[in-house]
Amino acid sequence: MKNIAVIGAGTMGNGIAHVFAQNGYQVKLIDISQASLDKGMATIGKNLDRMVAKERISESDKEGTLNNISTFNSLSKGVSDVDLVVEAATENLDLKLKIFKELDEICADKTILATNTSSISITQIAAVTSRPEKIIGMHFMNPVPIMKLVEIIRGYSTSDETTNIIMELSSKLGKTPTEVNDYPGFVANRILMPMINEAIETLYNGVAGVQEIDTVMKLGMAHPMGPLQLADFIGLDVCLSILNVMYDGFKNPKYAPCPLLVNMVMAGKFGVKSGEGFYDYSESRRAETVSKQFR
């Protein structure tokens, strides 16, 4: 595999494009919004600058990485002649099904179609295509350039060949691929999201404040980041979407999102990306907080 298309230039999409490009792959980054593409490329540039400053890569490595990425507003142009497509659009089932139907029609028969979904069924996505054996989940962790794990999720019809190719590819990116089966939330979010939701419930019930809850989990459980700060970093809207997927999938009340989380999302308080969540992320504080994630 040499040619990769990444759909979506947001936090996850630009991170995935960054990692592939830094490892020598030709990457086509696709987004319908030119502003998103510009912002995504700027983010990649800033993250590479940090790596240069820390002497993890050279200036020529940075330039080579950027030169390996081309941007497209058109899906049909962006996915022509690629070996792999990694979809990293919004965590919305209808949108993902629409994208995969289009990809199935446009892409060459050889092309493997992967999704970075953090909770949605791979089997359900594969069912709208004529190549279910070539549909697989590649759930990267945020921030993608730093985090080593990639959850590799097999759908009901995903072939051994496809799985082996993606496992090997993930290893070549310097990641640690871990194969899991196709159930709502997979492993990472099935365990993480109930913990975050319980932390929000603890705040909602007045047991302790935001900083106190995060301090207990950081100092008492050796977590590098408290659950409320982590929720802000992930995006409260994303957390809510994942919990809803698991609640719908399992019909178990333990996955029902806390009313406080629902209200915050309705109020537009998504965390870091909106400037406010459980913590304040004004422009000066936002830059400081995001910078710490790459230290």
Side-chain angles (χ1 to χ4, degrees):
M1 286 196 168
K2 296 182 179 179
N3 299 303
I4 313 296
V6 178
I7 300 174
T11 300
M12 296 305 296
N14 71 59
I16 294 167
H18 172 160
V19 168
F20 273 107
Q22 190 175 332
N23 283 275
Y25 293 88
Q26 295 298 310
V27 179
K28 297 179 178 181
L29 182 59
I30 306 164
D31 200 296
I32 59 173
S33 166
Q34 186 60 48
S36 294
L37 285 171
D38 293 341
K39 183 178 179 181
M41 290 302 298
T43 298
I44 294 171
K46 289 176 183 177
N47 290 340
L48 289 168
D49 284 337
R50 290 192 188 98
M51 298 176 78
V52 171
K54 295 177 183 298
E55 298 184 346
R56 294 175 182 169
I57 62 172
S58 66
E59 187 68 32
S60 62
D61 291 331
K62 170 194 166 183
E63 294 303 319
T65 298
L66 292 173
N67 288 336
N68 283 340
I69 306 173
S70 51
T71 59
F72 294 83
N73 294 125
S74 167
L75 189 65
S76 59
K77 292 180 181 178
V79 300
S80 61
D81 299 324
V82 297
D83 304 303
L84 169 70
V85 177
V86 182
E87 172 272 319
T90 304
E91 192 74 348
N92 177 282
L93 176 61
D94 291 338
L95 175 61
K96 291 187 186 295
L97 295 182
K98 179 177 181 293
I99 289 172
F100 272 80
K101 284 180 183 178
E102 292 182 23
L103 289 174
D104 189 45
E105 295 171 359
I106 297 168
C107 292
D109 293 341
K110 66 172 185 176
T111 305
I112 292 175
L113 306 181
T115 174
N116 183 58
T117 181
S118 54
S119 59
I120 295 171
S121 168
I122 307 304
T123 302
Q124 188 173 6
I125 291 172
V128 302
T129 75
S130 61
R131 63 183 86 192
E133 75 285 353
K134 291 185 178 293
I135 310 300
I136 195 165
M138 289 185 78
H139 180 207
F140 290 84
M141 303 294 123
N142 185 24
V144 181
I146 303 299
M147 302 294 280
K148 292 294 185 182
L149 175 67
V150 183
E151 272 190 308
I152 307 298
I153 306 102
R154 295 182 65 141
Y156 185 83
S157 301
T158 306
S159 69
D160 290 340
E161 179 184 13
T162 296
T163 303
N164 292 336
I165 288 171
I166 298 303
M167 292 283 285
E168 182 179 352
L169 175 65
S170 300
S171 295
K172 288 179 178 178
L173 296 176
K175 302 300 185 185
T176 303
T178 303
E179 183 180 337
V180 304
N181 290 320
D182 188 20
Y183 291 93
F186 315 131
V187 171
N189 283 315
R190 185 168 179 173
I191 295 171
L192 175 63
M193 286 302 154
M195 183 191 75
I196 287 176
N197 199 44
E198 192 63 30
I200 300 171
E201 285 278 2
T202 302
L203 176 66
Y204 182 59
N205 292 331
V207 178
V210 171
Q211 293 192 11
E212 289 76 13
I213 291 168
D214 278 355
T215 297
V216 167
M217 296 305 291
K218 286 190 288 186
L219 300 185
M221 284 67 187
H223 290 191
M225 187 183 297
L228 300 177
Q229 184 185 11
L230 179 57
D232 276 353
F233 186 59
I234 293 169
L236 302 189
D237 54 333
V238 175
C239 293
L240 179 59
S241 294
I242 295 169
L243 284 165
N244 281 331
V245 167
M246 292 197 295
Y247 182 60
D248 291 341
F250 291 116
K251 308 300 184 198
N252 189 323
K254 75 177 181 179
Y255 298 115
C258 175
L260 175 58
L261 174 62
V262 175
N263 284 341
M264 291 180 72
V265 171
M266 285 195 298
K269 298 183 179 183
F270 302 150
V272 174
K273 62 187 173 185
S274 71
E276 185 179 359
F278 293 107
Y279 291 86
D280 173 30
Y281 302 93
S282 56
E283 284 304 315
S284 59
R285 294 286 299 280
R286 182 198 297 254
E288 177 185 351
T289 301
V290 173
S291 175
K292 287 180 180 178
Q293 312 309 322
F294 292 91
R295 291 178 185 172

